[in-house]
Amino acid sequence: MSIFRRISLFMLAILASISLVLIAAPAIIIPPVDPVEPVTVYVLDLGLHSRLVLPDGDNGLIQYAYGDWHYFALNQQDLASGIAALLIPTQGTFGRRKYQNIAQLQQTITNDVSVLNFAVARTKATQLQKSLDQRFQQNIATQIFNPLNQMNFVQDDLDYTLYHNSNHELVIWLQNLDCHIQGFVLLADFRLADPEKK
């Protein structure tokens, strides 16, 4: 084996190792410090995918989610749909589900869902909620209801790709709430920053 080939294989092994470490490492959410008129928001971590729950300003809550139209909205979760969602740009979907109160949300959370909650400024939460609702309304003609996850879905203007999935969308939403994210984001492995290390 030539020296060039050995060096190439060695470099490839290093890159693969670094990639595995980055993928396995959690993304750290650093919430805003002392937000004005704080309200609680929730991040639901479902293992591969994540969702955001915001207050609706009326003592209720709204869950928002992003994903692949066929896989997430239509429940076409066969191998071909899964591979397509991972490897090629596919039709994105935007989902929404309303809750009357926190108790109703808690009833829907199973043991395999990790829940993070933290405070953000009320104005930021309200602005994001209005923006996401406008985004949902833009494609309301495509709306369907998914009885499996009890969410309403519309087709989204953004394609779903490996590099723009539900977790990447969540990061954008969190940044709009004045949160900072540290770490590599691909899978839904979010953690809250240690308050003492902020």
Side-chain angles (χ1 to χ4, degrees):
M1 184 183 298
S2 71
I3 188 75
F4 176 75
R5 186 168 177 161
R6 287 180 185 170
I7 291 172
S8 297
L9 288 174
F10 179 72
M11 294 302 293
L12 189 60
I14 289 175
L15 286 173
S17 298
I18 291 171
S19 297
L20 286 173
V21 169
L22 288 174
I23 290 171
I28 306 300
I29 301 171
I30 305 171
V33 177
D34 298 325
V36 177
E37 290 187 70
V39 294
T40 302
V41 300
Y42 304 85
V43 169
L44 307 183
D45 183 333
L46 287 78
L48 294 177
H49 307 285
S50 55
R51 303 175 188 174
L52 179 67
V53 180
L54 295 172
D56 70 357
D58 213 10
N59 294 323
L61 299 162
I62 306 178
Q63 178 184 148
Y64 297 96
Y66 175 80
D68 172 81
W69 174 255
H70 293 280
Y71 194 89
F72 191 24
L74 302 180
N75 292 325
Q76 295 175 1
Q77 299 181 356
D78 56 279
L79 184 60
S81 295
I83 290 173
L86 284 176
L87 300 180
I88 60 174
T90 56
Q91 174 63 59
T93 187
F94 188 60
R96 186 174 70 174
R97 179 178 180 180
K98 295 186 179 185
Y99 302 93
Q100 293 179 353
N101 48 48
I102 186 66
Q104 190 179 42
L105 170 64
Q106 290 170 335
Q107 289 171 1
T108 67
I109 296 173
T110 59
N111 291 335
D112 57 343
V113 177
S114 174
V115 181
L116 305 175
N117 65 81
F118 48 90
V120 300
R122 180 181 299 277
T123 55
K124 291 291 183 176
T126 301
Q127 287 171 359
L128 180 59
Q129 186 246 319
K130 288 181 179 177
S131 172
L132 295 177
D133 281 348
Q134 284 179 340
R135 179 174 169 180
F136 189 87
Q137 291 297 326
Q138 284 175 351
N139 293 304
I140 197 69
T142 65
Q143 181 176 215
I144 63 161
F145 176 71
N146 183 323
L148 188 65
N149 53 37
Q150 296 292 300
M151 295 188 79
N152 289 294
F153 289 96
V154 295
Q155 292 183 356
D156 194 63
D157 293 337
L158 295 175
D159 286 342
Y160 181 91
T161 70
L162 180 63
Y163 300 104
H164 184 82
N165 62 32
S166 63
N167 306 310
H168 300 111
E169 268 295 310
L170 176 65
V171 167
I172 294 168
W173 300 341
L174 292 173
Q175 289 170 339
N176 285 330
L177 295 171
D178 283 343
C179 296
H180 297 281
I181 311 299
Q182 291 180 344
F184 182 79
V185 175
L186 181 62
L187 304 178
D189 189 7
F190 291 93
R191 312 277 171 85
L192 276 179
D194 184 339
E196 296 177 2
K197 295 182 180 178
K198 285 184 187 177

